Amino acid sequence: MQRISSGKRINATRDDAAGSQVSESLTTQVKGASRAARNAYDGANLARTAEAALGTVSNILHEMRSIAVQAANDTLVDADRASLQLGIQAFIDEVEHIGTSTNFANIALLDGTFLNQGMHIGSGYKEAPLVSIEDTRAKYLGRFAVAQTDRMNEHGLETGDLRINDVRIRATVEQDDRLSTTQRRASSIAKVAAINDAFTRSRVNAFVNRNDFVATGDVVGGTLNNENFLSINDQVISGYDISADDADETLMGAINHLADKTGVVAHFNADRRLVLTAEDGRNIHIKTVGNAGQITGVMAASGSLVTRGTMTILSDDLFKITDPSNAQGEFKIGVNEDDIIGLNELDVLATADVSTVQGANRTLSIIDRVNEAVIHSRGKLGGLENRLEFTVSRLNKMAQHAYSARSKVRDADIAKESAVMVKNNIVQTAFTNVLAQANQQSFRVLQLL
């Protein structure tokens, strides 16, 4: 009667000591797995919330990149770019807002504080993988290890004289730079090519910066002819009468007329000094003969010089630049000896500025790095979400099987117990009837007597 009324085979430890212990262990497993499944489901929802916010950030980055591409176009004037910068700043503010306000159950997700948080997705001790979500605020996104080098040394890289993260950088060759006209192996273009060839092992890459040369003096004016001429990247500039300060911009026009051959354009800075610019970073080889140096203000005396460019070296983590051969490999690329480059905030998304062409190109570089970081974070969250969904399914099945096993141990077999009860009732009734009949026999004997 007790088993049928309670539905349990084991109502007290005395009913089945071993079975009671097994039943309690299975109960613990059922409840733990059920709770862990709910934890995993909460974790999956957390990942979905963070990933949705990062999806919005990705869309904003696409719009920012489009604006930066527009701003890099020289068909715009400064006023146009100033207007575009207002749009960029609005997007930056929105990314910052998303990073600071995205939360799940009052838990901040994207402000850099959600680090090494455990998702307890098991019924046992310390079954909690650690989860971290990178800081996606505008003042952090793009926070890479970035080094802006000085100008390149006049020597090319040799095998083994430069290592980045202990990865040997190959020697530069003339074919690395097909733009410069002299010192090709020593150019920033060649050295960038050598560094990038080792990217898969060093995880550090580089790109060439714009190369600028600023004249040392004012344009005093004079005649450029066969005896007094200027040469830029092997292209001779002669046959012009240059006025003081190049008032009629004859010199600037003559240089820019050959820009398709030299890769160099000219303009004047605020001090009215001649500035030569190679946007692709090629070497600028300048030669003056006779009085051309003084006429143009390029240099004080006749002679030749080569202005080599700079480069930007970057990685998503700290990196080091060394030269175990002591052959001044670091100085060849314009960095300090045994330099260690750490993360910095010089090129984060919050510094994006498209008010100039140079700024627009810099912004494109920043956005590309930031977009890569956001895609990486979204990939991690997507993987976590998939993992937790499988975990929920696994835990639910585990709880189901443990519940079934516990039922076999603890719960009563109602059919069997009913049959036993009926049998016992029949036996009891039969015993009562037999006893009653036996009592009647004695009574009848007494009646006869």
Side-chain angles (χ1 to χ4, degrees):
M1 288 293 293
Q2 186 183 41
R3 290 174 178 174
I4 291 174
S5 63
S6 66
K8 297 178 180 180
R9 185 180 69 86
I10 303 173
N11 289 284
T13 305
R14 65 178 178 269
D15 295 335
D16 184 350
S20 178
Q21 182 178 356
V22 172
S23 174
E24 290 302 319
S25 296
L26 290 173
T27 299
T28 300
Q29 185 174 348
V30 168
K31 291 185 176 181
S34 298
R35 180 65 264 179
R38 290 195 291 272
N39 287 353
Y41 189 72
D42 289 342
N45 285 332
L46 181 148
R48 290 190 190 98
T49 302
E51 199 279 328
L54 289 178
T56 303
V57 173
S58 291
N59 292 335
I60 291 174
L61 291 175
H62 295 326
E63 294 298 324
M64 291 180 67
R65 196 178 196 286
S66 177
I67 293 175
V69 170
Q70 181 182 3
N73 190 3
D74 278 326
T75 59
L76 302 181
V77 296
D78 290 343
D80 298 328
R81 294 191 182 92
S83 298
L84 294 177
Q85 177 59 25
L86 295 177
I88 288 289
Q89 189 58 52
F91 282 134
I92 291 173
D93 293 341
E94 180 58 23
V95 171
E96 184 72 16
H97 175 70
I98 292 172
T100 55
S101 64
T102 301
N103 67 83
F104 179 82
N106 293 324
I107 300 173
L109 300 180
L110 303 180
D111 65 351
T113 60
F114 197 86
L115 300 173
N116 292 328
Q117 301 298 305
M119 298 286 181
H120 203 104
I121 56 175
S123 58
Y125 174 67
K126 282 191 174 181
E127 294 186 44
L130 299 180
V131 178
S132 295
I133 302 177
E134 286 78 7
D135 195 331
T136 55
R137 293 172 295 175
K139 61 186 177 183
Y140 181 91
L141 279 173
R143 189 170 180 261
F144 280 48
V146 181
Q148 303 289 346
T149 73
D150 295 330
R151 293 192 182 276
M152 299 295 103
N153 186 282
E154 68 273 16
H155 301 292
L157 294 178
E158 303 295 340
T159 302
D161 65 359
L162 182 66
R163 292 179 185 265
I164 298 180
N165 284 341
D166 293 328
V167 175
R168 189 177 68 173
I169 305 302
R170 68 166 174 82
T172 53
V173 294
E174 293 285 325
Q175 290 75 13
D176 287 330
D177 181 359
R178 300 182 182 276
L179 299 176
S180 300
T181 57
T182 187
Q183 296 186 11
R184 291 181 176 179
R185 287 190 59 219
S187 73
S188 57
I189 297 174
K191 293 174 182 178
V192 161
I195 291 172
N196 287 340
D197 279 350
F199 171 74
T200 55
R201 291 170 290 137
S202 68
R203 308 309 301 171
V204 174
N205 62 6
F207 60 87
V208 178
N209 297 329
R210 184 178 72 179
N211 187 11
D212 287 321
F213 166 81
V214 180
T216 58
D218 297 330
V219 179
V220 298
T223 301
L224 296 179
N225 50 37
N226 292 337
E227 297 179 353
N228 304 282
F229 63 83
L230 171 68
S231 171
I232 300 176
N233 287 347
D234 295 339
Q235 297 296 314
V236 174
I237 299 171
S238 178
Y240 294 95
D241 290 325
I242 309 300
S243 59
D245 288 332
D246 196 27
D248 56 2
E249 298 186 346
T250 299
L251 175 61
M252 185 174 69
I255 295 173
N256 291 339
H257 180 70
L258 297 173
D260 58 337
K261 297 179 180 179
T262 62
V264 175
V265 296
H267 69 277
F268 286 94
N269 62 16
D271 296 326
R272 201 59 187 176
R273 299 287 175 86
L274 182 68
V275 180
L276 304 179
T277 300
E279 286 289 344
D280 53 21
R282 73 179 70 188
N283 294 340
I284 301 177
H285 180 206
I286 302 172
K287 181 181 179 181
T288 61
V289 175
N291 294 323
Q294 295 92 330
I295 292 172
T296 60
V298 171
M299 59 181 70
S302 61
S304 177
L305 61 86
V306 177
T307 301
R308 293 166 296 278
T310 63
M311 72 171 86
T312 299
I313 312 175
L314 59 95
S315 175
D316 57 2
D317 200 357
L318 178 146
F319 64 93
K320 60 180 179 179
I321 303 173
T322 57
D323 177 14
S325 67
N326 293 319
Q328 293 190 327
E330 304 101 327
F331 297 111
K332 291 181 179 180
I333 63 170
V335 298
N336 297 326
E337 184 177 359
D338 295 338
D339 213 355
I340 297 178
I341 311 301
L343 299 177
N344 63 74
E345 298 180 359
L346 299 176
D347 293 290
V348 295
L349 186 65
T351 66
D353 186 349
V354 298
S355 57
T356 64
V357 173
Q358 186 176 3
N361 285 307
R362 172 179 169 274
T363 297
L364 286 172
S365 174
I366 293 173
I367 291 175
D368 286 344
R369 295 201 308 273
V370 170
N371 197 41
E372 183 180 348
V374 171
I375 291 172
H376 178 71
S377 294
R378 293 183 67 185
K380 285 175 59 179
L381 290 171
L384 174 64
E385 182 181 337
N386 289 334
R387 174 186 178 180
L388 293 177
E389 287 179 350
F390 282 114
T391 298
V392 169
S393 177
R394 174 180 62 83
L395 290 171
N396 285 336
K397 289 180 180 179
M398 181 187 300
Q400 179 183 353
H401 294 321
Y403 189 90
S404 177
R406 185 188 66 172
S407 177
K408 295 293 184 182
V409 174
R410 188 181 69 172
D411 294 344
D413 186 337
I414 300 300
K416 177 181 176 181
E417 298 298 338
S418 297
V420 170
M421 185 183 71
V422 170
K423 183 189 75 169
N424 291 339
N425 288 338
I426 292 172
V427 170
Q428 185 178 9
T429 302
F431 175 77
T432 302
N433 290 335
V434 170
L435 181 60
Q437 291 178 7
N439 291 337
Q440 286 292 327
Q441 288 287 24
S442 300
F443 180 71
R444 288 174 185 172
V445 169
L446 289 175
Q447 283 185 330
L448 291 175
L449 292 175

